[in-house]
Amino acid sequence: IYLTNLWEVLIASVSIFILATLKSFKKLKLLPGALVVTVFGTLIVWGFKLEQRWDIKVVGHIPTGIPKPIFPSFDAKSFELFPTIVIISVVAIIEAISVGKTFASRANLTINANQELLALGLGNLFGSFFITFPATGSFTRTAVNASVGCKTPIANFVQAILILLTIMFLTPLFKYLPYSILAAIVLSAVVNLFDYQGFIFIWKTKKRDAIVWLSAFIGTLLLGIELGITVSILISVLLVILSYSLVEFKTLGIKDNMFLEIEDDLEVLPAPGVNLLRIDGPLFFGNTEAFKSKIQSIGHQLSASYAASAIIIDARGINEIDSTAYKSIQQLFVSLSLKGVSLFFASLHESNVRTLISAFNIRRECFFQSLDEAYVAAVALSK
């Protein structure tokens, strides 16, 4: 902060004020605000020699013309850059898809991710012969485009022609363009990207997604776009693993010949002679111990009280089972049978049933297509 040039802050503030004013009045909206502040700012700095008087940082000399195409060279050092290349590529793809979805949603449009990747690949492949920086979809530049009314690919085509003409003939005109004005243009455009209403909606519907939203916002603000997005992706992956690691058990009862959750309705009574459970989510190495411990605890209580002789698991919500979970299920069948408690699965996917029967020699009679069939069998067994 102590290195801040207050004159540059003043120039940026005035530029932002002018841009906001031009946007606020309908009669002035037709004026290209970014072009207005760029032209007048450059003329003022050049006319009053402000880069010397006030130490205003300007763009300076820009080489004129297009660089000659060269074929990229490959050597041993090129392969040392491979990890960096992978990281840059992943971040570039994420950034391009993110900004594409953000602005597509505002126009009620959809994007084709494959088409975006093809465009990025071809663009960077062509640019590599001219020693260009890796290209991707930019949040700030896309926001500037949107703020001046660009809506179709024709705008990009016109911009490409203008940029080509500029770097060939007009680069001397930008020598005295202050960086503070460029910053003001970007800031005035990016402020519209802050969708606080979207965050409120996410917070009300899914707290986990709101945490990812906040991590992406704070990360990009403090660490930059690349690191910020990377951090938010890692947090998202960790939250997904955490959510899958927590097995959700629901105790079921009977009301009007229907199986309902006891917690949702006080009139739902426990099923006589049988303990009914529903599990939602996958069973895998991250939550199999919690699953196994829960079922064993219930089995121990049943064997001690003789209140019921069977446990029925409604497996409609189990969408995946890994090898560790298969082994745990087989161990549950063995341990519960030693306690005199039967274990039944209802509505388990047929592929999982075949695996448990063939690989672990579990009897077919322990699996039922519906909860009603399993309940009838369990009640008959308890009599």
Side-chain angles (χ1 to χ4, degrees):
I1 295 177
Y2 65 90
L3 296 175
T4 301
N5 187 329
L6 296 180
W7 293 113
E8 290 186 328
V9 174
L10 177 62
I11 291 174
S13 301
V14 172
S15 300
I16 292 175
F17 175 77
I18 293 173
L19 291 169
T21 302
L22 293 177
K23 289 181 181 178
S24 302
F25 296 96
K26 293 182 179 180
K27 294 182 179 180
L28 299 177
K29 278 188 176 181
L30 295 177
L31 290 175
L35 183 60
V36 170
V37 296
T38 298
V39 171
F40 281 98
T42 302
L43 290 175
I44 291 173
V45 171
W46 171 74
F48 292 96
K49 307 294 182 183
L50 298 184
E51 80 282 3
Q52 299 176 6
R53 291 185 178 182
W54 296 346
D55 194 25
I56 302 298
K57 298 294 186 300
V58 294
V59 172
H61 175 69
I62 303 175
T64 302
I66 302 175
K68 295 180 180 180
I70 60 172
F71 190 81
S73 60
F74 297 94
D75 51 27
K77 291 185 178 180
S78 300
F79 294 98
E80 296 177 2
L81 296 174
F82 183 75
T84 304
I85 293 172
V86 172
I87 294 174
I88 292 175
S89 300
V90 171
V91 173
I93 292 169
I94 294 171
E95 188 172 350
I97 298 299
S98 299
V99 69
K101 286 186 175 182
T102 298
F103 285 91
S105 63
R106 295 187 177 187
N108 294 322
L109 299 173
T110 57
I111 65 170
N112 186 335
N114 290 334
Q115 184 176 346
E116 297 296 323
L117 296 181
L118 179 62
L120 279 177
L122 290 177
N124 283 307
L125 179 63
F126 182 78
S128 64
F129 293 97
F130 294 89
I131 321 178
T132 63
F133 285 104
T136 184
S138 170
F139 279 99
T140 53
R141 290 163 183 80
T142 305
V144 171
N145 271 5
S147 67
V148 296
C150 297
K151 296 182 179 180
T152 69
I154 296 296
N156 292 331
F157 178 75
V158 173
Q159 290 175 35
I161 298 299
L162 291 176
I163 290 173
L164 183 62
L165 294 175
T166 299
I167 61 177
M168 292 180 66
F169 307 109
L170 304 178
T171 53
L173 298 178
F174 295 93
K175 181 178 181 179
Y176 294 97
L177 174 61
Y179 280 114
S180 52
I181 288 182
L182 293 176
I185 294 172
V186 171
L187 288 174
S188 63
V190 170
V191 70
N192 295 322
L193 287 177
F194 186 74
D195 185 11
Y196 67 92
Q197 292 181 342
F199 172 73
I200 294 174
F201 171 78
I202 295 173
W203 180 261
K204 290 180 178 179
T205 54
K206 195 74 171 180
K207 298 292 191 298
R208 188 182 72 189
D209 293 344
I211 294 174
V212 176
W213 189 100
L214 279 175
S215 66
F217 174 72
I218 296 174
T220 53
L221 190 65
L222 299 179
L223 305 175
I225 292 177
E226 290 79 8
L227 284 177
I229 292 178
T230 303
V231 169
S232 64
I233 290 174
L234 293 176
I235 292 176
S236 178
V237 171
L238 290 175
L239 289 176
V240 170
I241 294 175
L242 179 62
S243 66
Y244 282 154
S245 300
L246 302 175
V247 186
E248 188 174 0
F249 295 93
K250 297 291 184 180
T251 304
L252 303 180
I254 298 178
K255 177 183 179 182
D256 299 330
N257 295 322
M258 293 188 298
F259 298 100
L260 303 173
E261 294 180 17
I262 292 179
E263 292 86 351
D264 293 343
D265 192 339
L266 296 178
E267 296 181 3
V268 178
L269 301 176
V274 178
N275 196 294
L276 296 169
L277 293 173
R278 191 182 75 220
I279 298 176
D280 295 320
L283 293 177
F284 70 114
F285 67 91
N287 61 17
T288 185
E289 282 301 321
F291 161 73
K292 183 178 175 181
S293 176
K294 176 71 174 180
I295 302 302
Q296 285 180 334
S297 175
I298 295 174
H300 179 73
Q301 295 174 6
L302 295 180
S303 63
S305 63
Y306 299 97
S309 59
I311 299 174
I312 299 177
I313 296 177
D314 182 2
R316 286 175 295 178
I318 300 177
N319 51 23
E320 186 179 354
I321 301 177
D322 72 355
S323 57
T324 305
Y326 278 129
K327 186 64 178 177
S328 295
I329 292 174
Q330 188 262 345
Q331 292 171 352
L332 283 174
F333 272 104
V334 174
S335 62
L336 291 176
S337 64
L338 294 176
K339 297 177 181 179
V341 178
S342 300
L343 178 62
F344 298 132
F345 280 85
S347 303
L348 184 64
H349 196 278
E350 184 61 27
S351 62
N352 295 325
V353 173
R354 288 195 297 267
T355 301
L356 288 168
I357 292 174
S358 61
F360 299 98
N361 297 320
I362 298 174
R363 294 179 295 112
R364 180 77 192 193
E365 292 78 12
C366 296
F367 304 98
F368 297 87
Q369 293 185 351
S370 68
L371 195 57
D372 293 299
E373 294 177 0
Y375 179 68
V376 171
V379 171
L381 185 66
S382 64
K383 291 182 179 179

